[in-house]
Amino acid sequence: MGPGNRPLDLEWLEDFLALAESGNFSRAAQARSIAQPAFSRHIRSLEEWVGVDLFDRSGHPTALTAAGKRFQPLLQEVLAGLEAARIKARAAHDLDAASLSFAATHVLSLTFFPRWLGSVESRLSMGPIQTVSDSSYACEDLMLQRRVQFVLCHGHAGAPGRLDDTGYPVQRLSEDVLVPVSAPDANGAPLHALGAGQSPSVLAYSDASGLGRIMRAMQDSEFGKDFAASLSIVFTAHHAALLRTMALEGRGLAWLPMSLVAEDLRSGTLVDAGAGGWRVPVDIRLYRQQAHMAPVAEALWALVSGGASGA
């Protein structure tokens, strides 16, 4: 309780930090997914609870008052302490079950994850495991919301994601490569080929796809600044498995992970559309929560960090 026994809403504290960071009510409200009038009411309610103005609204950007500057680091410590307490309480609750929670991108949940998990389980008693399979962006959201302990995804040093930008610990488990592939014609040549002097039909990744982020970041540096403009995008999705199906149907070429299409290339149902070139090496990465996790999760991370990933 604050002055006058007013209740405190913890959401107001997160709103305060968002505004302190951005200095703009509209951007902070958008970042918090709150309508601006409601966001402004939250800030005013917090100031009433504290008993002083925390922001100077007379200038642009909005700045912290002296009281706000003093309040900010103390508030960050309080929220960090609350989060640590929540994590420790949940860890104690889950200790007997020894549960692990992963978010994995669709393609890696189908290809790499089962094999890697089997290898790790041979060296670590893991207990029940919860896994969510989704787009790279959705997996990042689950980590940022502290709803999973680990995220398994593709990555590239030249295309950092939100978990890289916010400093989440990461280990490289293995390597993969994005290969341009196409269905073959009657003679075994690619129906859609790169370097053929024409604009090939391309099956592309959506903005929610981590592989799409990597491709967009690396196209100019790897293939030349005019490369993207030479492509004709005919279909977009964030699932590599869906792009593979469309490629098998002859709808266009797609850059797909070798881990997904190796058997297709061996059998000839897909062929290399780039004559061995136009490839993009990528990492297979495991990210973890920044805060302390349950003992079994920490044991898994220690195993991975020691180079015993089983990849």
Side-chain angles (χ1 to χ4, degrees), residues 234-257:
V234 298
F235 184 81
T236 301
H238 58 259
H239 293 180
L242 178 53
L243 296 185
R244 170 183 172 271
T245 299
M246 298 297 286
L248 287 168
E249 293 293 325
R251 301 291 295 272
L253 69 86
W255 272 266
L256 296 175

Side-chain angles (χ1 to χ4, degrees), residues 44-303:
R44 178 55 68 190
S45 295
L46 177 62
E47 290 177 320
E48 291 174 356
W49 183 86
V50 176
V52 296
D53 286 343
L54 299 173
F55 292 96
D56 180 358
R57 297 163 172 80
S58 63
H60 299 284
T62 299
L64 289 167
T65 63
K69 291 178 181 178
R70 179 58 177 156
F71 186 65
Q72 183 181 23
L74 297 175
L75 172 59
Q76 290 170 328
E77 290 179 14
V78 168
L79 290 178
L82 284 173
E83 177 59 19
R86 185 185 73 87
I87 290 171
K88 290 178 180 179
R90 291 183 62 180
H93 178 270
D94 295 339
L95 184 58
D96 289 339
S99 178
L100 290 170
S101 57
F102 292 85
T105 56
H106 285 287
V107 63
L108 289 177
S109 67
L110 294 172
T111 58
F112 180 83
F113 184 66
R115 172 171 52 85
W116 173 79
L117 189 63
S119 176
V120 172
E121 283 179 321
S122 68
R123 285 164 288 169
L124 179 67
S125 178
M126 301 173 71
I129 298 169
Q130 302 173 7
T131 306
V132 177
S133 177
D134 213 320
S135 68
S136 178
Y137 195 90
C139 290
E140 290 175 340
D141 272 346
L142 291 171
M143 178 66 90
L144 293 169
Q145 295 164 9
R146 307 179 187 93
R147 294 171 59 189
V148 296
Q149 297 161 326
F150 300 100
V151 165
L152 179 69
C153 61
H154 284 99
H156 193 289
R162 289 183 293 165
L163 300 184
D164 301 299
D165 292 339
T166 46
Y168 278 76
V170 59
Q171 286 291 330
R172 180 181 181 273
L173 300 184
S174 188
E175 60 187 16
D176 208 340
V177 60
L178 301 180
V179 184
V181 296
S182 165
D185 62 19
N187 298 316
L191 283 172
H192 308 274
L194 293 164
Q198 57 185 356
S199 179
S201 297
V202 173
L203 311 170
Y205 294 98
S206 71
D207 292 342
S209 166
L211 294 178
R213 181 182 66 239
I214 293 170
M215 284 299 304
R216 287 187 292 274
M218 303 310 297
Q219 279 179 162
D220 291 349
S221 61
E222 294 291 324
F223 307 142
K225 63 182 181 65
D226 298 324
F227 177 76
S230 72
L231 305 177
S232 176
I233 297 176
V234 298
F235 184 81
T236 301
H238 58 259
H239 293 180
L242 178 53
L243 296 185
R244 170 183 172 271
T245 299
M246 298 297 286
L248 287 168
E249 293 293 325
R251 301 291 295 272
L253 69 86
W255 272 266
L256 296 175
M258 181 64 80
S259 58
L260 179 65
V261 298
E263 183 55 37
D264 296 317
L265 291 171
R266 281 193 292 268
S267 67
T269 54
L270 290 175
V271 294
D272 192 327
W278 313 93
R279 298 186 174 194
V280 178
V282 292
D283 298 334
I284 296 176
R285 298 177 175 181
L286 186 70
Y287 293 86
R288 61 156 288 168
Q289 281 292 345
Q290 294 172 320
H292 183 76
M293 301 182 293
V296 66
E298 293 292 350
L300 172 62
W301 187 252
L303 182 65

